[in-house]
Amino acid sequence: MSWQAIARKDFQDALRSRWLLALTTLFVLLVSAAVYVVRPASGQTVSSNAVVNFIIVKDGLVTTLIPLIALVMAYAAVVGERESGSLKLLLSLPHSRSDVVLGKVLGRAAAIAAPVFVGFLLPGFILLLIPGVTFQPGYYLGYTFLTAFLATVFVAIAVGFSAAVSSQRFAIGGAIGIYFLFVPLWGVVRFPLQLYLQFGGGPSWLPVSGADLLEFLRLLNPVGSFKIVINSFMAGSLFASAQGVPSPRMQIAALSMLLAWLLAPPLLGLWRFENADL
C-alpha cells in the first residue's frame, strides 16, 4: 500500500498549489468564452461535438493549455522533495523509490484530472443553454476523459524528468524545453522538413519513404497523436475507416505512442533515480 499513500498525499498537496488554481481558472474561463464565441447564429443548428472540436483541434486551446498545466504541476514532483530533504524522510518509511515515482505519477494525474473535469463542466452548462446547439453527452464525456488522458501523459513525462534530474533548476529547464518542443515549435520544425521530403528530398539510404517519416514525426509528438485520436473519436470513427479521419492503423499507432509516452519517461526516470545518490 506504499504507493497508494504517496499518491494520496501528493494529490492533496497538488490541489493546494496556487499555480494549479490560477491555470485551472484560466482554462475554465477561456474554454467557456470560446464555447460562447463559436455558438451558432440565430436559426442555425450545430452539435456540441462540432463546437468542442473547433476548440480542441482547430484553435488549439486545449492542446496549448493542458500540457502547460500538467508540466507546471509535476516538474518538481520528485526533485522538489529531493532538494528540500523531505525525500530522505519519505524513503526512511516503508516506501521504495519505485513507490515514490509511481505514487507521484498517479497522485499528480488525479490532481490534474479534477480541474480538467471541472474545466469542462461550466462549458457543458453553457452548451446546454445555447439555442441551436444539440448536446451530445456521450461524446462530451468521452473527450473530457481523453483530455484528462493527455494531461496524464504530460504528468508522466514531467515526473519522469523530475526523477531523473538532481535539481529544480534542471527540472524547470526541462519542463520549459518539453513544452516549447511539443507545443509551439514542433510545427515550425516539421513544416520545412515536410516541404523538403514532399519535393523528393531525404537520404536515399532511409528504409522508409518521406511520407512514412512525416507520419512518424506526427505520431512522435504526444499532442499530434492526441489530435489523431480525438479527431477520430469525435467523428464517430475511432479505430474505424471513414472519410476525413486517419486510417485505423494510424489511430492505433497514435494511441500506442501515447501509451509509450505514459510509460517510458517514468521508467527511465526511475532507472536514473534508483542509481542516484541522495
Side-chain angles (χ1 to χ4, degrees):
M1 297 292 288
S2 291
W3 61 265
Q4 290 97 324
I6 294 174
R8 185 164 51 250
K9 179 182 180 299
D10 216 57
F11 172 75
Q12 294 167 350
D13 290 344
L15 287 182
R16 289 193 287 265
S17 168
R18 292 182 179 178
W19 272 105
L20 176 63
L21 179 60
L23 288 172
T24 301
T25 302
L26 177 64
F27 175 68
V28 172
L29 293 175
L30 288 178
V31 173
S32 300
V35 165
Y36 183 77
V37 167
V38 299
R39 69 191 186 282
S42 179
Q44 292 183 339
T45 302
V46 69
S47 69
S48 60
N49 212 18
V51 175
V52 181
N53 182 46
F54 177 86
I55 296 169
I56 291 178
V57 179
K58 293 184 179 178
D59 78 346
L61 179 59
V62 168
T63 51
T64 299
L65 282 180
I66 289 298
L68 177 62
I69 296 171
L71 291 169
V72 167
M73 177 190 291
Y75 79 89
V78 178
V79 75
E81 294 201 31
R82 183 174 175 178
E83 280 199 339
S84 69
S86 61
L87 188 58
K88 289 184 179 180
L89 176 61
L90 185 63
L91 292 173
S92 69
L93 300 171
H95 303 308
S96 66
R97 297 194 184 197
S98 59
D99 288 332
V100 171
V101 173
L102 177 60
K104 295 288 185 181
V105 170
L106 294 178
R108 304 277 164 140
I112 197 170
V116 165
F117 279 91
V118 171
F120 277 105
L121 186 62
L122 180 58
F125 280 122
I126 293 174
L127 285 171
L128 283 170
L129 296 174
I130 294 176
V133 173
T134 304
F135 190 70
Q136 299 169 290
Y139 281 105
Y140 197 80
L141 185 61
Y143 49 65
T144 302
F145 272 106
L146 286 173
T147 301
F149 180 59
L150 175 68
T152 301
V153 168
F154 273 92
V155 164
I157 294 171
V159 172
F161 196 84
S162 182
V165 299
S166 58
S167 73
Q168 287 200 65
R169 181 179 59 186
F170 290 129
I172 292 171
I176 292 172
I178 290 167
Y179 179 78
F180 277 95
L181 172 64
F182 286 143
V183 181
L185 293 181
W186 194 268
V188 175
V189 174
R190 188 173 176 268
F191 180 69
L193 181 61
Q194 180 176 353
L195 291 178
Y196 174 64
L197 292 172
Q198 283 180 340
F199 285 97
S204 57
W205 49 264
L206 276 177
V208 295
S209 66
D212 290 334
L213 183 58
L214 286 173
E215 275 193 2
F216 175 73
L217 289 175
R218 183 184 178 189
L219 291 168
L220 188 59
N221 185 342
V223 173
S225 288
F226 168 76
K227 287 182 178 179
I228 291 172
V229 173
I230 199 82
N231 263 327
S232 304
F233 172 76
M234 289 191 292
S237 303
L238 190 59
F239 307 134
S241 298
Q243 187 176 4
V245 299
S247 65
R249 179 187 66 84
M250 191 73 166
Q251 296 174 37
I252 293 170
L255 183 58
S256 300
M257 185 63 75
L258 287 171
L259 291 173
W261 278 114
L262 180 66
L263 297 174
L267 290 175
L268 291 173
L270 176 61
W271 175 70
R272 286 290 304 271
F273 185 44
E274 290 279 14
N275 298 294
D277 183 8
L278 303 181

